[in-house]
Amino acid sequence: MAVSVRDVAALAGVSLGTVSNVLNRPDKVAPATVERVQSAIASLGFVRNDSARQLRAGRSSTVGLIVLDGGNPFFTDVARGAEDAAMRKGLAVLVGNSDESVDREHTYVDLFEERRVAGLLISPAGDDLTRLGRLRDQGTAVVLVDRRSDDDHFASVSVDDVAGGSIAVSHLAAIGRRRIAFVGGPFGIRQVTDRHAGAVAAARSAGVELEVLPTTSLSVLEGRRIGEEIQARPASERPDAVFAANDLLAVGLEQAFIMRGTIRVPEEIAIVGYDDIAFAEVAVVPLTSVRQPAQDLGRRAIELLLAQVEEGQGVETLHVEFTPELVVRQSTVAEH
Amino acid sequence: MAVSVRDVAALAGVSLGTVSNVLNRPDKVAPATVERVQSAIASLGFVRNDSARQLRAGRSSTVGLIVLDGGNPFFTDVARGAEDAAMRKGLAVLVGNSDESVDREHTYVDLFEERRVAGLLISPAGDDLTRLGRLRDQGTAVVLVDRRSDDDHFASVSVDDVAGGSIAVSHLAAIGRRRIAFVGGPFGIRQVTDRHAGAVAAARSAGVELEVLPTTSLSVLEGRRIGEEIQARPASERPDAVFAANDLLAVGLEQAFIMRGTIRVPEEIAIVGYDDIAFAEVAVVPLTSVRQPAQDLGRRAIELLLAQVEEGQGVETLHVEFTPELVVRQSTVAEH
DNA sequence: CTGTTAGCGCGTTCAC
DNA sequence: GTGAACGCGCTAACAG
């Protein structure tokens, strides 16, 4: 059943080492021999045993990726980017979903450690990075995803949420809006505070008003609630634009405005969301949104990982921060 | 750097074999010894090398899962169910995304084969199952996910789409609708034809009319297009209910009906979707939908896999077919 | 360019 | 209960 290099060597009439050379350094073997060995491999259906390779090599050709939420499109895109980049380098990606649970995260870290992964890409669930520090000290490359380490001890890839907030509000100011509302919360979430900070800075430099309408979560329902609230105001006291901390909120706002038919989007109130989820494009009024380059994040994370693996310990810890991009649709600029 | 069982044995003052016993059969070792060995493991930070274990065991404790679309919530749920079930059995799941590409699928199959996975869960991208047949013949357990093999040669888990279609239309008939439209396409997709077949059967047995409104894809935009079409008809010629082949179409229909404000949902037209995506619940009128037990699918797939692994080749190929479930919301039954 | 040999780290015999 | 010896399949190093 199990066919090994030995069987291949026997059938091809060469020695073990030659088969190994054909597999790993074909250029060092006479073409005719390569041919013979390869046809032996084919006729036997030989498949390399990766465990044996790894055992020998001491390191696997697998990298681990632990995400906070497997169902979140942001993370599936990150995973996709990482997978593609890794595959090009001959690496496989093992994806684990911590579901924001520190326990589940630990389970995966243990698993990956037993598997001797070449490196670990992780969006940590908690604030305690000591476990990862130990891992890294033992020689496993670690790259933080969507999060910078406070003490600069880990390489990381992230997206500049402050810039994202700024881009959104600058766009609204550029199309002539003067009374902007930031809708989002809770402010305990870093992304929310960062996006808000960017919004504040852009509003100030553009000389426009910015009020804050806090939410208890980043959901469609909360968006709808705030939408109703805005609508209940006299028209003169309404903002002329809303920047929502994510697309779910934005969709909820839009639903509230349009359903009632009382507020026209974008004529009376323009809306900008964040994340550019699939539904942003097919909303009743297609939603202008800030897009995070999630796939690029995954790709760069793999590159940083490889740099660490290749350069060894001595490499300086690198931080790559992406700038998000604005996707303009009809919720801010009506079609002509 | 690399600490092995040998180091642990040395520190604990016991032999290699004893450490192995502590790790795998602690009950066969004196409690005091177990204690000593375990504290040696802890102080050395010893982590088992899985490659070595696998090499010895001949089989890995990893199972592969290849999905058609990593971004599709259905498959992320399947993956989640499989992961959870596998983790309980001490297995890890390696997830690959074929993206409907036969090439990518092959790459993953090869990868998994080299890793000597204990088994493979797969939603095949093409119709050619011979590659999987060879795998299975070589002793790797294979379970088809969301697809039955035509020749009964593989174990499989799937969801009964015919039953799903039937459930949807039966519900519409039960709430008094008599002129139902099936919206969906292209009919080359098995899920579409199955759901339609179920709808036809249920309509016949309930004695209600069923017309077909074909679409070119299962998208929001197509749903909206059909919605406009329905709306353009004289009120007397409109259906009083629509069963959409998936939720995206249903959302598009709803958008068309409600935006214009001309057709009330569910009073004039009731809508049932399929898949119960996250947006179904937060649609303007929350959407009644047919939910597929995706996580259960993943869980059962792992169980079938384990049955094959444990029982060996001789086990009869099992087919598990789940029946989907109707989630009733306001798009068919207005709130009181 | 080819063949031979010695482990990689672990789990499993056996004898003790 | 314990310990020593062997081999899983492969690769790297060296000798031919």
Side-chain angles (χ1 to χ4, degrees):
Chain A
M1 190 75 73
V3 23
S4 81
V5 277
R6 229 180 303 276
D7 306 313
V8 175
L11 181 64
V14 298
S15 87
L16 254 174
T18 304
V19 177
S20 171
N21 278 333
V22 171
L23 256 28
N24 305 306
R25 285 168 299 280
D27 44 305
K28 299 212 142 203
V29 181
T33 314
V34 172
E35 190 66 28
R36 272 223 317 292
V37 171
Q38 273 172 345
S39 77
I41 287 178
S43 76
L44 254 33
F46 166 77
V47 176
R48 246 185 347 210
N49 184 325
D50 195 64
S51 309
R53 295 191 79 191
Q54 289 185 194
L55 178 55
R56 197 75 243 285
R59 271 231 152 280
S60 97
S61 59
T62 303
V63 315
L65 165 62
I66 302 180
V67 299
L68 284 173
D69 178 2
N72 185 326
F74 173 76
F75 286 113
T76 58
D77 281 354
V78 169
R80 178 58 191 273
E83 254 178 64
D84 287 349
M87 192 174 267
R88 271 196 298 278
K89 304 281 186 179
L91 297 172
V93 180
L94 204 60
V95 185
N97 176 8
S98 73
D99 218 9
E100 316 235 354
S101 143
V102 175
D103 277 353
R104 278 179 69 98
E105 177 181 305
H106 271 7
T107 308
Y108 276 112
V109 173
D110 288 348
L111 203 77
F112 291 162
E113 204 175 352
E114 288 191 1
R115 297 248 188 311
R116 297 294 189 272
V117 292
L120 184 60
L121 269 33
I122 181 170
S123 294
D127 284 325
D128 185 9
L129 267 36
T130 56
R131 175 89 178 74
L132 299 177
R134 242 185 307 145
L135 236 193
R136 204 253 330 271
D137 294 342
Q138 282 169 15
T140 304
V142 175
V143 176
L144 266 29
V145 174
D146 198 33
R147 152 117 171 229
R148 296 197 53 152
S149 74
D150 306 328
D151 53 2
D152 249 38
H153 272 16
F154 292 93
S156 66
V157 293
S158 55
V159 183
D160 188 344
D161 280 294
V162 177
S166 169
I167 288 167
V169 169
S170 300
H171 170 64
L172 291 172
I175 59 172
R177 307 300 163 133
R178 290 289 166 262
R179 302 174 54 208
I180 301 174
F182 173 85
V183 175
F187 275 75
I189 299 177
R190 186 193 52 74
Q191 277 83 347
V192 173
T193 45
D194 283 3
R195 289 166 197 179
H196 174 249
V200 168
R204 183 169 311 144
S205 86
V208 301
E209 269 179 54
L210 187 81
E211 72 169 314
V212 174
L213 268 25
T215 63
T216 58
S217 73
L218 297 166
S219 64
V220 174
L221 261 32
E222 274 292 284
R224 213 171 328 178
R225 183 176 67 76
I226 299 291
E228 310 276 358
E229 236 175 78
I230 290 176
Q231 194 174 245
R233 300 184 188 178
S236 62
E237 289 175 22
R238 291 180 193 148
D240 57 11
V242 178
F243 169 39
N246 82 348
D247 283 348
L248 297 180
L249 289 173
V251 167
L253 286 160
E254 197 182 88
Q255 285 179 349
F257 294 162
I258 301 183
M259 288 317 111
R260 307 280 185 185
T262 44
I263 298 180
R264 284 171 306 144
V265 177
E267 292 82 357
E268 293 170 89
I269 300 187
I271 304 179
V272 176
Y274 209 109
D275 285 344
D276 195 31
I277 61 177
F279 256 84
E281 193 169 0
V282 294
V284 177
V285 175
L287 194 63
T288 293
S289 187
V290 179
R291 175 192 291 162
Q292 312 196 64
Q295 288 210 20
D296 293 339
L297 231 73
R299 194 171 43 68
R300 284 296 272 139
I302 290 286
E303 288 169 8
L304 253 50
L305 195 67
L306 255 36
Q308 273 184 70
V309 170
E310 282 156 16
E311 315 270 320
Q313 301 280 52
V315 72
E316 47 185 332
T317 63
L318 290 174
H319 305 283
V320 176
E321 189 157 55
F322 285 88
T323 302
E325 157 195 26
L326 189 74
V327 181
V328 178
R329 299 204 182 85
Q330 282 97 282
S331 71
T332 57
V333 177
E335 275 186 329
H336 306 296
Chain B
M1 189 77 71
V3 24
S4 82
V5 278
R6 227 181 305 275
D7 306 312
V8 174
L11 182 64
V14 299
S15 87
L16 257 172
T18 304
V19 176
S20 170
N21 278 333
V22 170
L23 255 28
N24 306 307
R25 285 169 300 280
D27 45 304
K28 298 211 143 205
V29 180
T33 314
V34 172
E35 189 66 29
R36 273 224 315 293
V37 171
Q38 275 173 343
S39 76
I41 289 178
S43 75
L44 254 32
F46 166 78
V47 176
R48 253 190 336 215
N49 184 326
D50 195 63
S51 311
R53 297 191 77 195
Q54 288 184 195
L55 179 55
R56 195 70 188 76
R59 252 206 179 295
S60 97
S61 58
T62 302
V63 314
L65 166 63
I66 301 179
V67 299
L68 285 173
D69 178 3
N72 186 325
F74 174 76
F75 285 113
T76 58
D77 280 355
V78 169
R80 178 58 192 273
E83 255 178 65
D84 287 349
M87 192 174 266
R88 271 196 297 278
K89 304 280 186 180
L91 296 173
V93 180
L94 205 59
V95 185
N97 176 10
S98 73
D99 218 9
E100 315 236 357
S101 144
V102 175
D103 278 353
R104 279 180 67 99
E105 176 180 305
H106 272 7
T107 308
Y108 277 113
V109 173
D110 288 348
L111 203 78
F112 291 163
E113 203 176 352
E114 288 191 2
R115 296 244 189 313
R116 298 292 189 273
V117 293
L120 183 61
L121 269 32
I122 182 171
S123 294
D127 284 326
D128 184 9
L129 268 34
T130 55
R131 175 88 179 74
L132 299 178
R134 242 184 307 146
L135 237 193
R136 204 252 332 270
D137 293 343
Q138 282 169 16
T140 304
V142 175
V143 176
L144 264 30
V145 174
D146 198 33
R147 152 117 172 231
R148 296 197 53 151
S149 76
D150 307 327
D151 54 1
D152 249 39
H153 272 17
F154 292 93
S156 67
V157 293
S158 56
V159 183
D160 189 343
D161 280 295
V162 177
S166 169
I167 288 167
V169 169
S170 300
H171 170 64
L172 291 172
I175 59 171
R177 307 299 163 133
R178 290 289 165 264
R179 303 173 53 208
I180 300 174
F182 173 85
V183 175
F187 275 74
I189 299 177
R190 185 193 52 75
Q191 277 84 347
V192 173
T193 45
D194 283 3
R195 289 166 197 179
H196 174 249
V200 169
R204 183 169 311 144
S205 88
V208 302
E209 270 179 53
L210 187 81
E211 73 169 313
V212 174
L213 270 22
T215 63
T216 59
S217 72
L218 298 166
S219 64
V220 173
L221 260 32
E222 273 293 283
R224 210 164 348 177
R225 183 178 66 77
I226 299 290
E228 310 276 357
E229 238 176 76
I230 290 176
Q231 195 173 244
R233 299 183 187 178
S236 64
E237 289 175 22
R238 292 179 193 149
D240 56 11
V242 179
F243 168 39
N246 81 348
D247 283 347
L248 296 180
L249 289 173
V251 167
L253 287 160
E254 196 181 272
Q255 285 179 349
F257 294 161
I258 301 183
M259 288 317 110
R260 308 280 185 183
T262 44
I263 298 179
R264 285 171 305 145
V265 177
E267 291 81 357
E268 291 169 271
I269 300 187
I271 305 179
V272 177
Y274 208 107
D275 286 343
D276 194 30
I277 62 177
F279 256 84
E281 192 168 0
V282 293
V284 178
V285 175
L287 195 64
T288 293
S289 186
V290 179
R291 174 192 291 162
Q292 312 196 63
Q295 288 210 19
D296 292 339
L297 232 71
R299 195 171 42 68
R300 283 296 272 139
I302 290 287
E303 289 169 8
L304 252 50
L305 195 68
L306 255 37
Q308 272 184 71
V309 171
E310 282 157 15
E311 315 270 322
Q313 302 281 52
V315 72
E316 48 185 332
T317 63
L318 290 174
H319 304 283
V320 175
E321 190 157 53
F322 285 87
T323 302
E325 157 195 28
L326 190 74
V327 181
V328 178
R329 300 204 183 86
Q330 281 98 283
S331 71
T332 56
V333 178
E335 277 188 329
H336 305 293

